Amino acid sequence: MLTLATGPALAQQQEEEEAAPAAPADLGPSPAVAAPKAAKNRLIDITLAGKRLVAVGQQGVILWSEDGSNWTQASSPTSVMLTRARFTDMNNGWALGYDATILQTTDGGRSWAIRNRDPAGRALYDVLFLDAQRGLAIGAYGTMLDTADGGANWTARDDALTGLGMHLNALQRLGDGSLLIAGERGLVARSVDAGATWTLLDFPYVGSLFGALPQGEHGAIVFGMRGNVWSAVDVSCAPALDPAAWDPYSRETVTDPARLAALGWRKIESPIHESLFGAVGLEAGRALLIGVNGTTLMLDSAAGALSPVKTPSAETLSAGVRYGDHVLAVGRRGVENLGDVK
């Protein structure tokens, strides 16, 4: 199974670090080693920079491609696991990873510079820039960093949401401009003021969530462990919870129809029970959800239905992107072409 930078894998790593002898003084980051077959090794995320593809993964590897078939390894200033890549336009982008690492590129992914790094910091899992200056990054154990100067400096946030200590796995802007975080043990939070404050929502599922998608103007789709997929037509109608009273270890998954209706969420029944890690947006309100052992599901959000899709992959996939008529995904075996998914 792909070792994702979330959940049990990170918890185990943390336990090992706490039990290990004190680390020597930090000598600074070490650059990624050039790997001729990097495109076939473990990759965690893939995204578009204009028409160029950029993928990131283990040992600081960053790759770019102009055609989806031929890949060039970029010079990466770090050798830590990279978990996410996001671009604001065809030139400007960000990559995140372990040790609170944040990298920036201004040339479409060909070269990168470190903008944040803390050897004692937690792994980062997602990033979103609201405009050219303001950005948010989230990660393990409630980590949230923000910047107000275009990413030159990042500051750790300390508030009720981060104080819960839960992994914050996905950050999404919804159709109405509000922000949504999906995380560990059913954590779902919403912000209507560009991330300045967050409201913890009463969510019906207690398993971890690894991804989110906007749905319509006010709604959202969230997905994660054991193939769970949930939808809300209007997230603003979901009841709020007091973080101080939220106990993720005593909560239970809601199944009663009346209670589910009151919470504003609906479970979309899935034909599988494999965890889902990534989503590829398609046309007409559809999306491809991918996960463990090559699991691939077509989501029709309008119909509220999931159906299996046959692809050549049998390995765990963590992220994907539509490229021309095909879907390219990354995971344990690097870049895989899933074909023309219709």
Side-chain angles (χ1 to χ4, degrees):
M1 180 183 295
L2 176 66
T3 302
L4 288 175
T6 55
L10 185 59
Q12 178 180 348
Q13 179 193 29
Q14 181 64 20
E15 291 175 358
E16 292 172 351
E17 290 173 350
E18 291 174 351
D26 178 33
L27 300 178
S30 58
V33 175
K37 297 182 179 180
K40 295 300 181 182
N41 291 328
R42 182 175 294 147
L43 296 170
I44 304 298
D45 198 22
I46 185 170
T47 192
L48 284 169
K51 296 182 178 180
R52 180 178 299 132
L53 290 155
V54 177
V56 300
Q58 67 177 5
Q59 298 178 328
V61 165
I62 303 175
L63 303 168
W64 58 271
S65 174
E66 301 287 5
D67 60 8
S69 299
N70 301 292
W71 292 85
T72 299
Q73 185 175 352
S75 177
S76 171
T78 183
S79 58
V80 302
M81 175 80 80
L82 296 177
T83 60
R84 189 75 79 199
R86 291 285 182 264
F87 279 76
T88 56
D89 56 42
M90 64 182 294
N91 294 314
N92 297 285
W94 304 88
L96 307 177
Y98 281 34
D99 294 355
T101 298
I102 300 177
L103 308 180
Q104 182 183 18
T105 179
T106 58
D107 58 8
R110 287 190 172 92
S111 63
W112 298 79
I114 295 177
R115 295 294 178 245
N116 192 78
R117 174 182 174 272
D118 179 4
R122 307 297 194 183
L124 297 173
Y125 299 147
D126 210 349
V127 63
L128 175 66
F129 268 78
L130 307 174
D131 53 42
Q133 298 300 313
R134 298 177 301 157
L136 290 169
I138 60 172
Y141 300 101
T143 297
M144 182 182 295
L145 307 178
D146 61 21
T147 180
D149 57 10
N153 296 282
W154 294 81
T155 303
R157 294 275 293 274
D158 184 9
D159 55 28
L161 178 64
T162 62
L164 295 173
M166 296 289 106
H167 299 332
L168 307 178
N169 296 328
L171 176 59
Q172 183 67 249
R173 179 158 28 197
L174 303 184
D176 59 6
S178 64
L179 307 181
L180 189 81
I181 286 178
E184 185 183 12
R185 295 186 177 271
L187 183 149
V188 176
R190 178 173 181 257
S191 174
V192 296
D193 54 11
T197 61
W198 292 88
T199 298
L200 183 67
L201 303 183
D202 193 354
F203 189 70
Y205 176 59
V206 298
S208 290
L209 303 167
F210 300 124
L213 291 168
Q215 179 182 222
E217 185 176 358
H218 303 289
I221 302 283
V222 294
F223 54 89
M225 286 185 65
R226 302 185 182 91
N228 270 269
V229 181
W230 297 79
S231 70
V233 174
D234 189 345
V235 177
S236 68
C237 295
L241 288 176
D242 179 2
W246 186 69
D247 181 3
Y249 302 100
S250 65
R251 292 173 60 82
E252 295 182 354
T253 297
V254 176
T255 58
D256 177 70
R259 287 188 63 197
L260 284 173
L263 295 178
W265 291 90
R266 178 169 66 94
K267 183 178 181 181
I268 301 179
E269 294 302 325
S270 174
I272 57 92
H273 297 287
E274 304 280 16
S275 293
L276 299 167
F277 300 128
V280 182
L282 304 174
E283 68 284 343
R286 300 184 307 145
L288 204 65
L289 304 183
I290 55 180
V292 171
N293 297 329
T295 293
T296 307
L297 298 176
M298 181 65 71
L299 166 68
D300 184 335
S301 59
L306 290 164
S307 56
V309 175
K310 185 175 180 57
T311 74
S313 179
E315 298 287 353
T316 294
L317 303 171
S318 55
V321 67
R322 185 71 178 265
Y323 192 69
D325 294 331
H326 290 235
V327 170
L328 299 182
V330 294
R332 184 179 178 187
R333 297 298 183 187
V335 183
E336 295 193 60
N337 191 331
L338 301 188
D340 186 3
V341 180
K342 298 179 180 178

